[in-house]
Amino acid sequence: MNFNELGLDEALVSAIEATGYTEPTQVQVSAIPAAIAGGDLLVSSQTGSGKTAAFTLPCLNRLLGHKPAPGAGPRMLVLTPTRELAQQVEKAVKTYGRKLRWLNTACLVGGEPFFAQAKQLSRPVDVIVATPGRLIDHLQRRKLKLNDIQMLVLDEADRMLDMGFSEDIETIVAATPANRQTLLFSATLDGVVGKLAQKLTRDPQRIEILATKASSANIEQRVMIADNLGHKNRLLESLLGSEGLQQAVVFTATKRSAEEVSLSLREKGFSAAALHGDMHQTARNRTLDKLRQGRIGVLVATDVAARGIDVAGISHVINFDPPRAAEDYVHRIGRTGRAGREGIAITLSGPREIGMIRAIERYTGKPITVHVIEGLEPSARPPAAGRRPSPGGKPGGFGGGRSRDRDARPGASKGWNSDGPRGARHTSDSERGPRRARADFR
Ligand code: AMP
């Protein structure tokens, strides 16, 4: 299947070809023709599956077909849970719409000056990408009307609900015309997301992409047992010195720990920086720019702040602290192995955090292999082989054998120091937190 078989305008197909994509991903094959047909869609798809193009392309296709009436308001609205994701989506809209010279976009997210955004809205805008909190601010101050919205996209709807945006979403949707087309994308379509979907969509087509496994197929998943914090730090240092490491994202459970780990890595000579919700938006943007440019080798981040980061040079994700939920794990590891590349995800787990690793294995259906680094073996015994078979009963999962990590070793030369990356290649960008009180909870 190729892009010109999906029913897209030639201007969009040539823009896609210019990005270097040769064939559509599974979610694109399923969702693009269905969205072009005009109905509402509920799409379950994971980050990294190509979902942004799956909703952006059919929406731009529709915009292309009808010139806006003079003085008309925005016709396409995308809501995202975080600022960085909104920025990333706006960038994708511009990339795929590069042949549409008349196309104007606006990204309305918190942490950026309100009045600069309001000024942007005083001119014609076709596409708005926004986090719910800031969009509501503009609606309440009458800087924006949504009467002309034809296409509404809810991106990562599950996450928006997790972040407490349910009411805001309903307020925003009530300001759009009832005859709009609604495309809802979410990792899951069950539970609260299903209820929201029922309220917001009309006779939707359901598209389920079994992306959990597919999207992480190119990511090797490992766990290493750490006896204590000191051991964890030594493991981390050794891993960041691995052969083949280009850039890494290290996840911590709290903002404070992100700062501490990043500082300690810098003291050891790594080119590390923190990213979390307590940082000013300008500082967050600057850090992400440096990451994209390859001037930062190790980003130490909390979950929400790092969500949506799309940098091809990220070869490793290291969970310094295991995630709170299996779903967060999938988002975290999705920062590596972008656009079909290979990636490695390593979770450092205390002996008592093993339950979470098992929950993740059950959720993803994929075994996570126990690795040890020579000279840094844990004194705690990992679970005995066979006592808790990994899903599918395959050996080598968390309940299975151990494997020695030959790339990483204590005292290995640092893959990353302040001089920058070794041959890292970099592409696009990322996301971020909505209203301050809700942004990045840790
Ligand atoms: P997303 O799931 O939208 O975050 O996309 C994940 C990554 O896949 C991004 O880096 C996109 O640029 C890339 N991508 C999207 N569609 C394709 C495609 N058809 N072929 C290759 N890469 C793609």
Side-chain angles (χ1 to χ4, degrees):
M1 170 76 77
N2 55 38
F3 279 100
N4 49 27
E5 292 171 72
L6 298 178
L8 292 166
D9 190 279
E10 175 50 35
L12 298 173
V13 175
S14 68
I16 299 160
E17 282 167 358
T19 62
Y21 306 162
T22 48
E23 53 180 325
T25 64
Q26 206 191 337
V27 67
Q28 292 161 4
V29 169
S30 307
I32 293 174
I36 289 177
D40 288 357
L41 298 186
L42 304 182
V43 185
S44 73
S45 69
Q46 301 286 341
T47 176
S49 59
K51 66 183 169 59
T52 313
F55 61 72
T56 301
L57 290 167
C59 288
L60 290 180
N61 203 67
R62 182 160 166 188
L63 288 187
L64 253 167
H66 305 90
K67 283 249 143 58
R75 292 184 285 158
M76 169 179 171
L77 169 63
V78 184
L79 292 179
T80 74
T82 66
R83 298 171 188 176
E84 275 83 7
L85 185 56
Q87 288 163 349
Q88 186 187 315
V89 169
E90 190 202 20
K91 196 167 171 188
V93 173
K94 286 181 170 160
T95 303
Y96 304 137
R98 60 159 70 99
K99 295 273 164 86
L100 322 183
R101 295 192 182 283
W102 44 266
L103 186 75
N104 289 314
T105 64
C107 185
L108 308 178
V109 294
E112 305 276 356
F114 181 88
F115 289 102
Q117 293 173 355
K119 199 169 162 198
Q120 218 183 342
L121 294 175
S122 65
R123 293 191 283 267
V125 173
D126 306 286
V127 180
I128 299 232
V129 186
T131 47
R134 181 54 69 94
L135 188 75
I136 295 248
D137 291 346
H138 283 285
L139 286 175
Q140 284 173 346
R141 296 207 224 169
R142 299 184 193 283
K143 301 292 175 199
L144 175 67
K145 281 192 176 160
L146 300 176
N147 311 16
D148 294 315
I149 292 293
Q150 296 170 356
M151 288 145 295
L152 168 69
V153 180
L154 303 171
D155 190 14
E156 300 198 358
D158 52 330
R159 191 66 174 188
M160 286 198 276
L161 295 182
D162 274 358
M163 292 171 77
F165 283 137
S166 169
E167 252 180 59
D168 286 356
I169 292 173
E170 291 193 28
T171 307
I172 292 166
V173 174
T176 66
N179 65 355
R180 66 179 186 271
Q181 180 180 16
T182 305
L183 312 179
L184 182 147
F185 283 70
S186 176
T188 164
L189 298 175
D190 304 329
V192 282
V193 180
K195 289 203 183 97
L196 178 79
Q198 257 177 7
K199 279 193 206 166
L200 306 187
T201 57
R202 286 172 305 160
D203 192 20
Q205 181 179 337
R206 211 175 151 107
I207 297 176
E208 304 213 26
I209 307 290
L210 296 172
T212 309
K213 290 174 200 168
S215 67
S216 57
N218 53 341
I219 302 171
E220 191 191 325
Q221 300 177 48
R222 306 175 183 171
V223 62
M224 288 185 174
I225 309 296
D227 294 331
N228 49 42
L229 189 60
H231 188 202
K232 243 189 199 187
N233 279 317
R234 289 193 295 281
L235 287 171
L236 177 64
E237 201 182 331
S238 172
L239 288 168
L240 293 176
S242 304
E243 285 286 318
L245 186 136
Q246 289 186 20
Q247 283 176 295
V249 179
V250 175
F251 282 96
T252 60
T254 64
K255 299 172 201 171
R256 188 168 161 185
S257 157
E259 284 292 347
E260 285 169 359
V261 171
S262 132
L263 180 65
S264 136
L265 289 174
R266 279 201 300 279
E267 284 170 357
K268 288 172 189 150
F270 290 97
S271 151
L275 186 79
H276 56 73
D278 274 355
M279 287 163 61
H280 193 275
Q281 183 64 42
T282 321
R284 286 170 70 158
N285 289 346
R286 205 182 305 125
T287 301
L288 287 168
D289 280 344
K290 284 189 187 165
L291 184 74
R292 279 191 286 276
Q293 293 157 8
R295 288 159 59 208
I296 289 173
V298 186
L299 185 77
V300 188
T302 53
D303 284 284
V304 172
R307 212 171 156 94
I309 288 176
D310 184 8
V311 176
I314 297 171
S315 55
H316 287 61
V317 164
I318 301 173
N319 293 319
F320 189 78
D321 299 309
R324 282 177 311 176
E327 194 211 335
D328 290 336
Y329 176 83
V330 174
H331 277 280
R332 285 181 177 192
I333 71 168
R335 298 311 107 221
T336 184
R338 304 294 288 177
R341 290 175 173 80
E342 303 280 303
I344 296 180
I346 303 153
T347 302
L348 305 181
S349 168
R352 290 185 182 177
E353 291 159 333
I354 281 162
M356 174 46 80
I357 306 292
R358 293 202 177 108
I360 293 166
E361 285 188 324
R362 283 194 296 275
Y363 181 78
T364 62
K366 278 190 89 173
I368 303 179
T369 321
V370 181
H371 277 235
V372 291
I373 296 176
E374 274 177 37
L376 288 177
E377 293 85 352
S379 55
R381 255 183 345 119
R387 262 180 58 201
R388 205 170 299 251
S390 53
K394 288 188 195 132
F398 190 68
R402 287 177 175 202
S403 136
R404 294 218 164 242
D405 205 315
R406 302 205 181 283
D407 301 337
R409 55 199 182 279
S413 68
K414 289 176 178 52
W416 263 97
N417 57 32
S418 325
D419 295 330
R422 295 186 306 202
R425 280 170 299 152
H426 313 281
T427 52
S428 53
D429 68 326
S430 61
E431 69 164 350
R432 155 33 167 305
R435 279 177 175 172
R436 184 114 185 106
R438 291 183 189 141
D440 203 314
F441 297 115
R442 302 168 201 209

